[in-house]
Amino acid sequence: MSPRSRKNQISHFNVMVVGFSGVGKTSFVRTLLETLSLDQANTIASNGGKKRQIEVEKKERIILTIIDTPGFGAEYLVDKQLHDITKYIEHQFDLTLQEESKVKRNPKAVDTQVHCCLYFIDPKKSALDEFDIRILKRLSNRVNVIPIIGKADNLTLAQRNRLKPSIIKDIYTTYKIPIYGMPDEEDDDEDDDDDDEGSKKEAKPTTLDQFLQQFDYEKEDNDTQSLGRDFGWGSIDCLGEKYSDFVKLKHMLLSSHRRYLQLDTVERYYEQYRTERLMYKRATKIGMVAPPVAPSS
Ligand SMILES: Nc1nc2c(ncn2[C@@H]2O[C@H](COP(=O)(O)OP(=O)(O)OP(=O)(O)O)[C@@H](O)[C@H]2O)c(=O)[nH]1
């Protein structure tokens, strides 16, 4: 590939932020955009300003799209909101499926699949509750999920040190939710049979522990360019490793893990969705599944 065509190659990377209302999703997005020295001209607003698209690295030509979803509100609406979020993710798979089935594919088709979903956990909780579990289970069926402890500056160090292992235990051991980074049993078996394949997989970073991040942000009115929160008695620098894992997460998302997240999306989630759709189509064709009936008025 010529240096010129490599330069012109664009990689789309799409990240979704999900969580209950007020857990700091939008503040996180703002922080990320601030640290990327966002050129406002490159920001596009759609669906009420919930989607932002930017070019993050000139050399690699990555276009980052952040989908900021409305926070979960009343408990009775959680399932409806969750349904809308999963429908959005599935719709992006449908677009790829449609594109793939064309005789002549569009070489400029944009990859809109959601490569990663950051799930913000309310720091007021002492452990995951039934809603978190339900949301995490459902999302991790369709997308790479990375759990985040939002607004963790509200916690003392002791509280943080209790909450983090408790969440890890719930996800890995108690509920066995297949979030991003969870080693899956099939992979272990394959590794035993195939050493080469095994060594390739080892290269994939799988440290869930590092993914539980905490964030803090409020931009100063006088714009002194410090990304932090001023409490009067002192201020917190959200880019400081002492207070927040923001810098680590940003590096993982945009550099060290980006390709793995994109690959996993295609190989694991899209392929699974594609198989489900094709099987459903075949089943409806031979009459095993009745097509959905419109409700009678
Ligand atoms: N202490 C603290 N406050 C925060 C942090 N992040 C956000 N906040 C504050 O929490 C409030 C809600 O933050 P948002 O970022 O709007 O939360 P959200 O999750 O986007 O909320 P919805 O849009 O309702 O879903 C705001 O007043 C923020 O200033 C944080 O890391 N620490």
Side-chain angles (χ1 to χ4, degrees):
M1 190 187 292
S2 74
R4 188 185 162 83
S5 57
R6 205 178 300 135
K7 196 179 161 215
N8 289 337
Q9 256 199 350
I10 295 176
S11 166
H12 287 265
F13 185 55
N14 309 314
V15 178
M16 180 182 253
V17 290
V18 175
F20 276 83
S21 187
V23 287
K25 300 182 294 298
T26 305
S27 303
F28 164 74
V29 173
R30 278 169 52 203
T31 312
L32 189 61
L33 298 185
E34 288 283 342
T35 59
L36 290 170
S37 322
L38 177 66
D39 169 5
Q40 289 300 321
N42 278 340
T43 308
I44 58 155
S46 68
N47 298 335
K50 289 291 180 191
K51 186 172 173 181
R52 296 147 199 232
Q53 196 167 1
I54 53 170
E55 187 177 305
V56 287
E57 272 180 57
K58 284 271 182 278
K59 261 184 286 159
E60 277 192 70
R61 306 262 300 148
I62 302 159
I63 293 188
L64 171 69
T65 301
I66 302 178
I67 305 126
D68 186 357
T69 61
F72 294 107
E75 290 179 353
Y76 68 93
L77 283 176
V78 168
D79 285 323
K80 157 88 179 72
Q81 287 182 265
L82 188 52
H83 174 81
D84 292 344
I85 292 171
T86 24
K87 277 282 151 217
Y88 176 89
I89 298 170
E90 289 173 356
H91 179 64
Q92 311 316 311
F93 290 144
D94 282 330
L95 293 179
T96 311
L97 204 51
Q98 276 168 23
E99 191 53 45
E100 275 188 356
S101 39
K102 283 183 187 163
V103 177
K104 202 169 172 211
R105 294 188 205 165
N106 176 5
K108 290 188 182 154
V110 171
D111 177 7
T112 59
Q113 293 181 19
V114 182
H115 301 115
C116 173
C117 170
L118 303 178
Y119 181 68
F120 281 70
I121 298 162
D122 187 343
K124 292 198 285 296
K125 295 175 182 172
S126 54
L128 297 179
D129 65 18
E130 57 163 310
F131 294 104
D132 294 316
I133 306 291
R134 204 185 307 161
I135 294 165
L136 283 168
K137 274 189 175 166
R138 183 98 171 259
L139 290 174
S140 58
N141 240 343
R142 289 287 181 236
V143 65
N144 290 306
V145 179
I146 297 178
I148 309 281
I149 300 172
K151 295 162 70 163
D153 59 304
N154 287 331
L155 301 173
T156 65
L157 205 51
Q159 285 170 322
R160 276 188 216 183
N161 292 341
R162 270 198 301 272
L163 184 58
K164 208 162 161 172
S166 145
I167 293 172
I168 292 174
K169 184 168 163 275
D170 277 351
I171 290 176
Y172 268 145
T173 318
T174 316
Y175 299 99
K176 295 190 171 32
I177 306 172
I179 61 157
Y180 184 72
M182 182 163 201
D184 79 41
E185 281 160 27
E186 270 176 41
D187 284 358
D188 292 347
D189 294 347
E190 280 170 26
D191 287 355
D192 291 344
D193 300 342
D194 186 339
D195 280 343
D196 281 342
E197 185 63 12
S199 54
K200 256 186 252 156
K201 281 189 176 130
E202 260 174 40
K204 177 175 168 174
T206 55
T207 45
L208 164 70
D209 202 17
Q210 291 183 46
F211 293 141
L212 288 164
Q213 318 286 332
Q214 44 252 338
F215 297 105
D216 183 32
Y217 171 70
E218 193 162 80
K219 194 163 183 282
E220 300 283 306
D221 276 350
N222 57 8
D223 200 1
T224 50
Q225 282 310 311
S226 68
L227 295 180
R229 181 169 298 269
D230 190 351
F231 285 97
W233 45 263
S235 57
I236 288 176
D237 170 15
C238 76
L239 302 185
E241 296 206 353
K242 198 171 157 199
Y243 307 110
S244 154
D245 292 335
F246 177 85
V247 173
K248 251 193 260 171
L249 179 70
K250 184 180 154 195
H251 177 72
M252 283 178 197
L253 285 178
L254 302 181
S255 302
S256 62
H257 289 52
R258 181 172 47 82
R259 279 187 218 289
Y260 295 113
L261 290 161
Q262 287 168 318
L263 262 179
D264 258 21
T265 304
V266 176
E267 289 178 359
R268 185 171 167 192
Y269 296 101
Y270 171 67
E271 277 307 314
Q272 184 190 323
Y273 182 78
R274 187 176 162 276
T275 310
E276 282 172 24
R277 290 301 300 166
L278 295 179
M279 284 174 71
Y280 178 80
K281 260 194 190 164
R282 191 180 301 170
T284 40
K285 218 174 185 178
I286 59 173
M288 283 169 63
V289 179
V293 182
S296 53
S297 53

